[in-house]
Amino acid sequence: MKLAVVGGGSTYTPELIDGFARLRDSLPIEELVLVDPAADRLELVGGLARRIFAKQGHPGVIRTTSDVDAGVADADAVLLQLRVGGQAARNQDETWPLECGCVGQETTGAGGLAKALRTVPVVLDIAERVRRTNPNAWIIDFTNPVGIVTRALLQAGHKAVGLCNVAIGFQRKFAKLLDVAPTEVHLDHVGLNHLTWETGVRLGGPGGDDILPRLLAEHGDAVAADLRMPREIVDRLGVVPSYYLRYFYQHDAVVEEMRTKPSRASEVAAMEQELLQMYGDPALDEKPELLAKRGGAFYSEAAVDLAASLLGNGGSPYQVVNTVNNGTLPFLPDDAVIEVQATVDGKGAKPLAVPKLDPLYAGLIAHVTGYEDLALQAALHGGRDRVFKALLAHPLVGQYTYAEQLTDRLIAHNREHLAWA
């Protein structure tokens, strides 16, 4: 089995490598290729990756290359974990929206649109290269904004499934609070990427008892603290919103908070430099503890599980993925990409049935899906007017004056990445 990781020079990658090494029975990799244009980072990450495999006795061969075509050739699956423009572009995404009084964040709002505009054309080019070299390969997308990127891939006819680590993070945290094995916890997880709610927490599978009320009653303070939201919000909703809902439910307070402290991008950039120095140490043969602060917790385990299912090597019977709606949420277009529990096999992902949603959640999902449709059109076809309409449609922007100002700032800060600008 051959896997390729495009964006393999990311400081995330040792987390992925550690999962591949520990869970090799689920995913027997013979060849792993790390692909990245940043040769200096790639060699540091590749060296540590080989040492992790060696320490854990994994027989697979790890190669590195800057040549996408060579890297993905004959791969059974290709994982995408790109950041077009690097942390410098992310820092801009997190700062210029604040000038207009809007949330500055890398995956939602105006910053999320900027990231989508930079990213979608690059991802589609890579996917076409995969299709030319191996049309049967699965593409697993971990590249943000995952929902929009996965929709672009699926609409272009690629074999793609989107992956996020929010759900598996909740599963592991809830299991710890409940003192049960993670495999015993099944989430009624519904929404769009980075716009989801846990409407039920069941023990044993989809038909198990819903113990969410008990979880909130006994551990509500811990859950709320993890979300960085007041417990009152969680109690009144009676569900667990993802961390990203704080940008919607507490927009103005979050903007003020962001204005008074360094951007997350600047923190991550400093952390990455420290991590890369560690990765260059020939004595280091395991992922360092600092990596846990970088983000992406449990990403490796979710990725192994998904790849194993897509490639016919077992995998969990139910997994939270980003896949095409096809009537699962009847108030959305069939071609929308949703994030829900699904069964996954060699044919792809099939969402489980979702009970009728409260309008409180369905309305916001429909609203953001409309934005995502406009965002994808802007990413595919360009043009100032398309960017403006996408911003005007986003519930974190929504005002004509803001959309006008943010359009000008977005184009000015991203001109080098926008062929049409």
Side-chain angles (χ1 to χ4, degrees):
M1 179 185 297
K2 175 181 175 180
L3 265 65
V5 180
V6 181
S10 169
T11 53
Y12 271 135
T13 300
E15 161 69 26
L16 189 62
I17 299 299
D18 178 72
F20 287 159
R22 288 186 293 103
L23 304 171
R24 55 184 175 273
D25 291 341
S26 299
L27 200 64
I29 299 171
E30 296 168 293
E31 181 180 3
L32 177 64
V33 185
L34 306 180
V35 185
D36 203 292
D40 52 345
R41 293 170 61 108
L42 185 59
E43 288 311 307
L44 291 174
V45 173
L48 175 56
R50 294 185 186 99
R51 294 193 296 273
I52 291 174
F53 263 30
K55 180 179 181 180
Q56 298 196 32
H58 194 297
V61 174
I62 296 178
R63 294 194 298 109
T64 59
T65 181
S66 296
D67 186 332
V68 174
D69 293 322
V72 303
D74 301 319
D76 296 287
V78 177
L79 280 72
L80 304 180
Q81 52 175 42
L82 313 178
R83 186 179 295 281
V84 179
Q87 294 299 332
R90 175 181 178 174
N91 188 64
Q92 292 180 351
D93 295 343
E94 294 178 348
T95 51
W96 54 262
L98 296 174
E99 298 169 6
C100 301
C102 296
V103 161
Q105 212 278 329
E106 64 159 339
T107 63
T108 192
L113 176 61
K115 186 174 178 65
L117 297 183
R118 294 192 304 267
T119 304
V120 166
V122 175
V123 166
L124 289 178
D125 176 68
I126 293 168
E128 285 299 326
R129 293 167 183 266
V130 172
R131 181 150 55 189
R132 287 199 301 268
T133 59
N134 184 6
N136 293 318
W138 278 103
I139 296 176
I140 298 174
D141 178 58
F142 193 66
T143 297
N144 281 319
V146 168
I148 295 173
V149 172
T150 303
R151 190 172 183 181
L153 288 166
L154 291 172
Q155 287 187 356
H158 298 289
K159 294 175 60 177
V161 180
L163 180 64
C164 180
N165 68 321
V166 167
I168 193 172
F170 275 134
Q171 181 200 45
R172 300 308 169 86
K173 290 167 186 173
F174 294 166
K176 186 175 182 180
L177 291 172
L178 296 165
D179 194 25
V180 298
T183 53
E184 288 296 303
V185 176
H186 177 91
L187 304 176
D188 291 345
H189 179 101
V190 63
L192 310 175
N193 180 241
H194 290 183
L195 192 86
T196 53
W197 296 263
E198 312 307 324
T199 60
V201 177
R202 303 180 185 277
L203 294 181
D209 292 335
D210 181 10
I211 49 86
L212 178 58
R214 187 187 109 201
L215 177 72
L216 294 181
E218 296 178 1
H219 305 286
D221 288 341
V223 171
D226 187 61
L227 299 173
R228 294 179 63 193
M229 293 185 193
R231 179 169 178 175
E232 178 186 4
I233 293 178
V234 180
D235 285 342
R236 293 192 69 177
L237 292 176
V239 303
V240 180
S242 80
Y243 165 86
Y244 293 89
L245 265 299
R246 71 190 296 261
Y247 301 123
F248 296 81
Y249 294 159
Q250 299 174 277
H251 177 275
D252 293 353
V254 171
V255 168
E256 289 306 308
E257 174 188 313
M258 289 177 166
R259 283 173 163 167
T260 60
K261 67 178 187 179
S263 69
R264 172 64 176 164
S266 63
E267 295 174 351
V268 170
M271 198 180 305
E272 284 196 334
Q273 290 305 309
E274 188 174 352
L275 284 168
L276 289 171
Q277 286 186 337
M278 292 179 176
Y279 295 172
D281 180 356
L284 184 67
D285 56 8
E286 60 186 13
K287 63 178 183 179
E289 290 185 12
L290 178 62
L291 186 55
K293 298 180 181 180
R294 171 67 179 82
F298 309 115
Y299 158 45
S300 63
E301 294 174 40
V304 168
D305 208 13
L306 178 55
S309 294
L310 292 172
L311 299 177
N313 285 279
S316 300
Y318 309 107
Q319 299 173 45
V320 173
V321 297
N322 285 261
T323 191
V324 67
N325 179 41
N326 273 345
T328 306
L329 300 181
F331 54 88
L332 296 184
D334 282 348
D335 66 348
V337 165
I338 60 175
E339 186 172 293
V340 292
Q341 286 277 6
T343 58
V344 185
D345 58 23
K347 296 179 180 179
K350 183 179 180 180
L352 301 184
V354 175
K356 184 178 179 180
L357 280 180
D358 188 306
L360 181 62
Y361 314 122
L364 186 53
I365 291 170
H367 192 163
V368 175
T369 297
Y371 151 76
E372 289 191 347
D373 183 65
L374 293 168
L376 182 54
Q377 294 306 308
L380 293 173
H381 305 295
R384 186 186 188 281
D385 193 52
R386 290 189 180 93
V387 174
F388 167 79
K389 288 179 178 177
L391 287 167
L392 188 62
H394 202 295
L396 294 182
V397 180
Q399 296 185 52
Y400 178 89
T401 302
Y402 287 172
E404 276 284 300
Q405 296 172 354
L406 290 166
T407 298
D408 290 336
R409 284 168 169 79
L410 186 155
I411 294 172
H413 284 285
N414 290 276
R415 197 176 300 276
E416 66 179 294
H417 299 291
L418 306 177
W420 52 267

